[in-house]
mmCIF file of all heavy atoms in Angstrom:
data_model
loop_
_atom_site.group_PDB
_atom_site.id
_atom_site.type_symbol
_atom_site.label_atom_id
_atom_site.label_comp_id
_atom_site.label_asym_id
_atom_site.label_seq_id
_atom_site.Cartn_x
_atom_site.Cartn_y
_atom_site.Cartn_z
ATOM 1 N N PRO A 289 4.661 2.736 -22.598
ATOM 2 C CA PRO A 289 4.532 4.179 -22.840
ATOM 3 C C PRO A 289 3.903 4.938 -21.725
ATOM 4 O O PRO A 289 3.615 6.158 -21.857
ATOM 5 C CB PRO A 289 3.693 4.236 -24.089
ATOM 6 C CG PRO A 289 2.769 3.062 -23.989
ATOM 7 C CD PRO A 289 3.608 1.969 -23.352
ATOM 8 N N ALA A 290 3.598 4.289 -20.582
ATOM 9 C CA ALA A 290 2.941 4.973 -19.482
ATOM 10 C C ALA A 290 3.851 6.074 -18.916
ATOM 11 O O ALA A 290 5.104 5.921 -18.908
ATOM 12 C CB ALA A 290 2.581 3.970 -18.353
ATOM 13 N N THR A 291 3.284 7.155 -18.472
ATOM 14 C CA THR A 291 4.026 8.263 -17.860
ATOM 15 C C THR A 291 3.344 8.662 -16.580
ATOM 16 O O THR A 291 2.146 8.455 -16.392
ATOM 17 C CB THR A 291 4.129 9.486 -18.792
ATOM 18 O OG1 THR A 291 2.793 9.914 -19.167
ATOM 19 C CG2 THR A 291 4.909 9.142 -20.042
ATOM 20 N N HIS A 292 4.099 9.248 -15.684
ATOM 21 C CA HIS A 292 3.563 9.693 -14.349
ATOM 22 C C HIS A 292 3.141 11.130 -14.359
ATOM 23 O O HIS A 292 3.888 11.976 -14.888
ATOM 24 C CB HIS A 292 4.575 9.451 -13.290
ATOM 25 C CG HIS A 292 4.163 9.951 -11.930
ATOM 26 N ND1 HIS A 292 3.145 9.339 -11.207
ATOM 27 C CD2 HIS A 292 4.551 11.011 -11.209
ATOM 28 C CE1 HIS A 292 2.961 9.980 -10.075
ATOM 29 N NE2 HIS A 292 3.748 11.028 -10.044
ATOM 30 N N THR A 293 2.007 11.423 -13.817
ATOM 31 C CA THR A 293 1.521 12.788 -13.660
ATOM 32 C C THR A 293 1.209 13.041 -12.161
ATOM 33 O O THR A 293 0.439 12.248 -11.548
ATOM 34 C CB THR A 293 0.230 13.041 -14.424
ATOM 35 O OG1 THR A 293 0.528 12.879 -15.822
ATOM 36 C CG2 THR A 293 -0.265 14.464 -14.229
ATOM 37 N N SER A 294 1.788 14.069 -11.571
ATOM 38 C CA SER A 294 1.522 14.393 -10.201
ATOM 39 C C SER A 294 0.206 15.210 -10.165
ATOM 40 O O SER A 294 0.049 16.171 -10.894
ATOM 41 C CB SER A 294 2.648 15.279 -9.605
ATOM 42 O OG SER A 294 3.785 14.479 -9.346
ATOM 43 N N PHE A 295 -0.693 14.785 -9.288
ATOM 44 C CA PHE A 295 -2.001 15.427 -9.241
ATOM 45 C C PHE A 295 -1.902 16.898 -8.918
ATOM 46 O O PHE A 295 -2.669 17.714 -9.454
ATOM 47 C CB PHE A 295 -2.902 14.731 -8.211
ATOM 48 C CG PHE A 295 -4.353 15.012 -8.381
ATOM 49 C CD1 PHE A 295 -5.127 14.341 -9.316
ATOM 50 C CD2 PHE A 295 -4.963 15.967 -7.594
ATOM 51 C CE1 PHE A 295 -6.446 14.643 -9.504
ATOM 52 C CE2 PHE A 295 -6.310 16.278 -7.742
ATOM 53 C CZ PHE A 295 -7.055 15.611 -8.703
ATOM 54 N N ALA A 296 -0.984 17.266 -8.068
ATOM 55 C CA ALA A 296 -0.821 18.696 -7.686
ATOM 56 C C ALA A 296 -0.399 19.565 -8.850
ATOM 57 O O ALA A 296 -0.543 20.822 -8.762
ATOM 58 C CB ALA A 296 0.196 18.814 -6.549
ATOM 59 N N SER A 297 0.125 18.998 -9.917
ATOM 60 C CA SER A 297 0.539 19.782 -11.072
ATOM 61 C C SER A 297 -0.624 20.199 -11.988
ATOM 62 O O SER A 297 -0.430 21.007 -12.921
ATOM 63 C CB SER A 297 1.574 18.986 -11.900
ATOM 64 O OG SER A 297 0.998 17.886 -12.551
ATOM 65 N N LEU A 298 -1.790 19.595 -11.763
ATOM 66 C CA LEU A 298 -2.945 19.919 -12.591
ATOM 67 C C LEU A 298 -3.491 21.294 -12.231
ATOM 68 O O LEU A 298 -3.401 21.705 -11.065
ATOM 69 C CB LEU A 298 -3.998 18.824 -12.441
ATOM 70 C CG LEU A 298 -3.566 17.414 -12.805
ATOM 71 C CD1 LEU A 298 -4.699 16.420 -12.541
ATOM 72 C CD2 LEU A 298 -3.131 17.321 -14.257
ATOM 73 N N PRO A 299 -4.093 21.969 -13.172
ATOM 74 C CA PRO A 299 -4.659 23.315 -12.887
ATOM 75 C C PRO A 299 -5.616 23.355 -11.719
ATOM 76 O O PRO A 299 -6.537 22.560 -11.638
ATOM 77 C CB PRO A 299 -5.346 23.686 -14.215
ATOM 78 C CG PRO A 299 -4.644 22.889 -15.251
ATOM 79 C CD PRO A 299 -4.276 21.603 -14.592
ATOM 80 N N GLY A 300 -5.329 24.245 -10.768
ATOM 81 C CA GLY A 300 -6.198 24.398 -9.634
ATOM 82 C C GLY A 300 -6.096 23.379 -8.534
ATOM 83 O O GLY A 300 -6.798 23.489 -7.492
ATOM 84 N N MET A 301 -5.198 22.424 -8.666
ATOM 85 C CA MET A 301 -5.107 21.313 -7.677
ATOM 86 C C MET A 301 -4.040 21.475 -6.661
ATOM 87 O O MET A 301 -3.979 20.794 -5.664
ATOM 88 C CB MET A 301 -4.960 19.988 -8.438
ATOM 89 C CG MET A 301 -6.159 19.534 -9.213
ATOM 90 S SD MET A 301 -7.640 19.287 -8.175
ATOM 91 C CE MET A 301 -8.620 20.721 -8.594
ATOM 92 N N TRP A 302 -3.082 22.444 -6.841
ATOM 93 C CA TRP A 302 -1.992 22.567 -5.872
ATOM 94 C C TRP A 302 -2.522 22.874 -4.479
ATOM 95 O O TRP A 302 -2.057 22.298 -3.496
ATOM 96 C CB TRP A 302 -1.074 23.743 -6.311
ATOM 97 C CG TRP A 302 0.183 23.813 -5.514
ATOM 98 C CD1 TRP A 302 1.417 23.276 -5.797
ATOM 99 C CD2 TRP A 302 0.368 24.539 -4.275
ATOM 100 N NE1 TRP A 302 2.351 23.602 -4.841
ATOM 101 C CE2 TRP A 302 1.736 24.338 -3.881
ATOM 102 C CE3 TRP A 302 -0.471 25.273 -3.413
ATOM 103 C CZ2 TRP A 302 2.247 24.916 -2.693
ATOM 104 C CZ3 TRP A 302 0.049 25.804 -2.250
ATOM 105 C CH2 TRP A 302 1.398 25.635 -1.882
ATOM 106 N N ASP A 303 -3.520 23.746 -4.375
ATOM 107 C CA ASP A 303 -4.037 24.187 -3.058
ATOM 108 C C ASP A 303 -4.732 23.103 -2.259
ATOM 109 O O ASP A 303 -4.898 23.202 -1.058
ATOM 110 C CB ASP A 303 -4.992 25.360 -3.241
ATOM 111 C CG ASP A 303 -4.271 26.636 -3.643
ATOM 112 O OD1 ASP A 303 -3.118 26.783 -3.269
ATOM 113 O OD2 ASP A 303 -4.909 27.464 -4.304
ATOM 114 N N ARG A 304 -5.155 22.051 -2.960
ATOM 115 C CA ARG A 304 -5.953 21.043 -2.262
ATOM 116 C C ARG A 304 -5.343 19.636 -2.389
ATOM 117 O O ARG A 304 -6.013 18.655 -2.130
ATOM 118 C CB ARG A 304 -7.386 21.059 -2.808
ATOM 119 C CG ARG A 304 -7.518 20.742 -4.276
ATOM 120 C CD ARG A 304 -8.942 20.527 -4.668
ATOM 121 N NE ARG A 304 -9.729 21.750 -4.685
ATOM 122 C CZ ARG A 304 -11.013 21.801 -4.306
ATOM 123 N NH1 ARG A 304 -11.671 20.745 -3.906
ATOM 124 N NH2 ARG A 304 -11.646 22.951 -4.368
ATOM 125 N N THR A 305 -4.064 19.548 -2.733
ATOM 126 C CA THR A 305 -3.393 18.249 -2.875
ATOM 127 C C THR A 305 -2.275 18.106 -1.853
ATOM 128 O O THR A 305 -1.458 18.990 -1.659
ATOM 129 C CB THR A 305 -2.812 18.100 -4.289
ATOM 130 O OG1 THR A 305 -3.889 18.209 -5.256
ATOM 131 C CG2 THR A 305 -2.176 16.734 -4.405
ATOM 132 N N LEU A 306 -2.270 16.983 -1.199
ATOM 133 C CA LEU A 306 -1.193 16.552 -0.346
ATOM 134 C C LEU A 306 -0.440 15.428 -1.027
ATOM 135 O O LEU A 306 -0.992 14.367 -1.252
ATOM 136 C CB LEU A 306 -1.760 16.044 1.008
ATOM 137 C CG LEU A 306 -2.605 17.038 1.762
ATOM 138 C CD1 LEU A 306 -3.291 16.392 2.951
ATOM 139 C CD2 LEU A 306 -1.787 18.266 2.227
ATOM 140 N N THR A 307 0.792 15.718 -1.438
ATOM 141 C CA THR A 307 1.563 14.737 -2.229
ATOM 142 C C THR A 307 2.497 13.944 -1.295
ATOM 143 O O THR A 307 3.267 14.573 -0.515
ATOM 144 C CB THR A 307 2.416 15.449 -3.289
ATOM 145 O OG1 THR A 307 1.543 16.141 -4.201
ATOM 146 C CG2 THR A 307 3.235 14.450 -4.105
ATOM 147 N N VAL A 308 2.404 12.649 -1.309
ATOM 148 C CA VAL A 308 3.242 11.783 -0.493
ATOM 149 C C VAL A 308 4.194 10.990 -1.389
ATOM 150 O O VAL A 308 3.794 10.453 -2.401
ATOM 151 C CB VAL A 308 2.376 10.818 0.372
ATOM 152 C CG1 VAL A 308 3.296 9.795 1.059
ATOM 153 C CG2 VAL A 308 1.581 11.605 1.361
ATOM 154 N N ASN A 309 5.469 10.963 -1.025
ATOM 155 C CA ASN A 309 6.481 10.196 -1.738
ATOM 156 C C ASN A 309 7.497 9.745 -0.745
ATOM 157 O O ASN A 309 7.361 9.960 0.452
ATOM 158 C CB ASN A 309 7.074 11.044 -2.872
ATOM 159 C CG ASN A 309 7.499 10.236 -4.046
ATOM 160 O OD1 ASN A 309 8.068 9.112 -3.890
ATOM 161 N ND2 ASN A 309 7.303 10.755 -5.262
ATOM 162 N N GLY A 310 8.570 9.104 -1.247
ATOM 163 C CA GLY A 310 9.588 8.616 -0.330
ATOM 164 C C GLY A 310 10.699 7.913 -1.104
ATOM 165 O O GLY A 310 10.805 8.046 -2.350
ATOM 166 N N PHE A 311 11.473 7.186 -0.403
ATOM 167 C CA PHE A 311 12.720 6.587 -0.964
ATOM 168 C C PHE A 311 12.690 5.054 -0.945
ATOM 169 O O PHE A 311 13.599 4.423 -1.476
ATOM 170 C CB PHE A 311 13.906 7.087 -0.138
ATOM 171 C CG PHE A 311 14.038 8.596 -0.179
ATOM 172 C CD1 PHE A 311 13.362 9.410 0.723
ATOM 173 C CD2 PHE A 311 14.809 9.232 -1.147
ATOM 174 C CE1 PHE A 311 13.451 10.772 0.673
ATOM 175 C CE2 PHE A 311 14.894 10.568 -1.227
ATOM 176 C CZ PHE A 311 14.243 11.385 -0.292
ATOM 177 N N SER A 312 11.649 4.486 -0.352
ATOM 178 C CA SER A 312 11.625 3.011 -0.156
ATOM 179 C C SER A 312 11.675 2.207 -1.434
ATOM 180 O O SER A 312 12.433 1.274 -1.539
ATOM 181 C CB SER A 312 10.379 2.643 0.645
ATOM 182 O OG SER A 312 10.407 3.187 1.930
ATOM 183 N N LYS A 313 10.829 2.567 -2.427
ATOM 184 C CA LYS A 313 10.642 1.679 -3.554
ATOM 185 C C LYS A 313 11.682 1.905 -4.640
ATOM 186 O O LYS A 313 12.412 0.985 -4.996
ATOM 187 C CB LYS A 313 9.236 1.867 -4.137
ATOM 188 C CG LYS A 313 8.130 1.876 -3.063
ATOM 189 C CD LYS A 313 8.084 0.604 -2.244
ATOM 190 C CE LYS A 313 6.923 0.627 -1.284
ATOM 191 N NZ LYS A 313 6.781 -0.570 -0.429
ATOM 192 N N ALA A 314 11.742 3.094 -5.200
ATOM 193 C CA ALA A 314 12.620 3.358 -6.340
ATOM 194 C C ALA A 314 14.089 3.213 -5.966
ATOM 195 O O ALA A 314 14.899 2.723 -6.787
ATOM 196 C CB ALA A 314 12.359 4.749 -6.910
ATOM 197 N N PHE A 315 14.421 3.579 -4.731
ATOM 198 C CA PHE A 315 15.841 3.540 -4.321
ATOM 199 C C PHE A 315 16.147 2.317 -3.436
ATOM 200 O O PHE A 315 17.269 2.239 -2.913
ATOM 201 C CB PHE A 315 16.181 4.817 -3.548
ATOM 202 C CG PHE A 315 16.076 6.074 -4.384
ATOM 203 C CD1 PHE A 315 14.983 6.894 -4.256
ATOM 204 C CD2 PHE A 315 17.043 6.405 -5.317
ATOM 205 C CE1 PHE A 315 14.869 8.077 -5.017
ATOM 206 C CE2 PHE A 315 16.958 7.531 -6.112
ATOM 207 C CZ PHE A 315 15.855 8.372 -5.947
#
Side-chain angles (χ1 to χ4, degrees):
T291 57
H292 175 71
T293 299
S294 287
F295 196 81
S297 70
L298 300 176
M301 290 299 106
W302 188 96
D303 288 332
R304 59 170 74 215
T305 301
L306 303 171
T307 300
V308 172
N309 210 321
F311 300 87
S312 295
K313 312 302 182 180
F315 297 102

